[in-house]
Structures are given as structure tokens and as C-alpha cells.
């Protein structure tokens, strides 16, 4: 298998359609996270300037920031999975031999993918219930269910990322924490 192009943050070493899907998910995550953080910063700064310079606070700032926090959180879980930055409880895992660790990693990635996709399914059901309630945000007058649309998107993208990690571990000889991150510890990590 070809080595990943480290200069391209969206490059994938997965073959064919899986590689295309992996690269597309990476680009979507990057855009969502960057746009979300920038819009939140701009919105907050505009509110502060309005409040202290013009003595007029923007009435919608809190709701817009709430929407952006949900977006950043659920796009961020997929990004964390892609970067291999998710929480790991690895005391037993690290003590296993290499073949057993590989098998455990496939099981972990597959199980996590199933759980994330199940959460996506349940969150869609929740959104449908909220949509039928007719609730709207007080300031923006936007239906409340719209702000929750990022939840199933984030769970779905995270589920896909873990599924791709399981596939990567099945087709490659090395052990991968994500499609881009090999198992192991950085030399610059400090144990406390």
C-alpha cells in the first residue's frame, strides 16, 4: 500500500472508493471546524464591540454560539477519531502481543463504529420528535430541531471513520489507531 502523503492533510492511503470517502470526510470536517470556530469568534467579538462601544448587545449571539458549539463538538468527535486522539484505556491492550492487539483494535474500531451509527439513528429519532413539537429559538425564531442536525451528522462521520479504521487494520499489516495514525507513542510524550 502506498504511504500517505504527509504534506496533504486530506490524503488517504485507503484504496479506491474508500480513499475517496476518507478524503472527503476529512475535508468536510476541516471546513466545519474551521468555519465554526471562526464564526463563533466573529460573533463573540461583534457582540463585545456592540456592547461596549455602541451600548447595544446583539440579541442573537448566545443562540448562534450554542448552535456553533454543537457543530464544533460533533464535527470534532469525527476529527479526533481521524487523528487518533480519542481516549484510550490501554493498560491491558499494551500488554498483549502484536497479533492480539491487532485483533482487539479491529474489534474496538468495529464496535465503536456500530455504536456511533446507532447513536446517529437514535439522534435522528430525537430530532424528529423535536421537529413535531414546533419549538423555535426565542431570538432567531429558527426551529429548534435545526440546531440538532449536526448531532447525527457528527455521529455518522465518526462511525464512518471508525469503520474505515477497522477496514484499514484488516488490509494492512501494521496496527492503526485511525486511517492515518499508526499505533505507538510519540517520543516526545512525557509520562507523569
Amino acid at each position: 500500500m502506498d504511504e500517505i502523503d504527509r504534506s496533504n492533510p486530506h490524503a488517504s492511503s485507503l484504496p479506491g472508493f474508500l480513499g475517496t470517502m476518507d478524503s472527503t470526510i476529512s475535508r468536510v470536517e476541516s471546513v466545519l471546524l474551521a468555519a465554526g470556530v471562526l464564526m463563533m469568534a466573529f460573533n463573540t467579538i461583534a457582540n463585545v464591540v456592540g456592547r461596549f462601544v455602541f451600548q447595544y448587545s446583539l440579541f442573537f449571539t448566545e443562540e448562534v454560539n450554542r448552535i456553533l458549539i454543537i457543530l464544533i463538538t460533533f464535527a470534532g468527535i469525527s476529527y479526533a477519531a481521524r487523528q487518533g486522539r480519542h481516549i484510550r484505556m490501554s493498560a491491558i491492550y499494551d500488554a498483549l502481543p502484536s497479533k492480539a492487539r491487532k485483533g482487539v483494535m479491529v474489534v474496538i474500531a468495529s464496535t465503536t463504529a456500530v455504536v456511533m451509527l446507532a447513536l446517529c439513528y437514535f439522534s435522528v429519532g430525537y430530532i424528529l420528535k423535536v421537529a413535531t413539537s414546533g419549538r423555535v429559538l426565542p431570538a432567531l425564531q429558527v426551529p429548534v430541531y435545526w440546531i440538532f442536525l449536526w448531532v447525527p451528522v457528527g455521529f455518522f462521520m465518526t462511525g464512518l471513520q471508525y469503520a474505515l479504521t477497522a477496514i484499514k487494520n484488516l488490509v494492512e499489516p501494521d496496527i492503526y489507531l485511525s486511517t492515518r495514525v499508526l499505533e505507538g507513542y510519540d517520543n516526545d510524550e512525557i509520562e507523569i
Side-chain angles (χ1 to χ4, degrees):
M1 180 62 48
D2 295 336
E3 187 62 30
I4 299 172
D5 179 8
R6 298 288 175 199
S7 64
N8 180 358
H10 305 295
S12 176
S13 64
L14 292 170
F17 175 72
L18 294 177
T20 303
M21 184 179 7
D22 189 35
S23 294
T24 302
I25 292 170
S26 176
R27 284 179 170 79
V28 169
E29 289 167 353
S30 296
V31 168
L32 288 175
L33 288 171
V37 170
L38 289 173
M39 287 188 294
M40 185 181 284
F42 177 75
N43 183 41
T44 303
I45 291 168
N47 189 47
V48 169
V49 169
R51 186 180 318 135
F52 290 108
V53 174
F54 302 110
Q55 276 67 47
Y56 181 77
S57 184
L58 300 175
F59 66 94
F60 55 82
T61 295
E62 182 180 333
E63 289 178 1
V64 169
N65 281 351
R66 185 181 320 157
I67 293 166
L68 292 172
I69 286 171
I70 292 170
L71 165 75
I72 292 166
T73 299
F74 288 95
I77 60 173
S78 180
Y79 180 81
R82 166 176 304 287
Q83 301 301 321
R85 296 291 185 189
H86 43 79
I87 296 173
R88 295 189 303 154
M89 305 294 184
S90 62
I92 296 171
Y93 175 84
D94 287 345
L96 295 173
S98 181
K99 284 190 178 206
R101 280 198 324 267
K102 185 166 188 68
V104 169
M105 182 55 68
V106 169
V107 169
I108 289 169
S110 300
T111 303
T112 305
V114 168
V115 169
M116 291 294 117
L117 294 173
L119 287 171
C120 174
Y121 173 79
F122 291 123
S123 66
V124 168
Y126 176 74
I127 289 170
L128 292 174
K129 286 180 184 177
V130 172
T132 59
S133 73
R135 291 178 38 211
V136 295
L137 295 172
L140 294 175
Q141 294 297 303
V142 172
V144 171
Y145 73 91
W146 284 16
I147 70 172
F148 296 130
L149 291 177
W150 300 113
V151 176
V153 170
F155 281 139
F156 182 75
M157 289 180 13
T158 305
L160 280 179
Q161 188 59 46
Y162 278 109
L164 291 173
T165 300
I167 292 168
K168 178 81 170 187
N169 278 301
L170 289 172
V171 300
E172 292 289 328
D174 294 323
I175 303 171
Y176 285 85
L177 299 177
S178 73
T179 56
R180 293 182 55 98
V181 179
L182 278 169
E183 172 200 52
Y185 295 99
D186 293 337
N187 291 335
D188 59 348
E189 287 184 0
I190 300 172
E191 187 174 318
I192 298 177

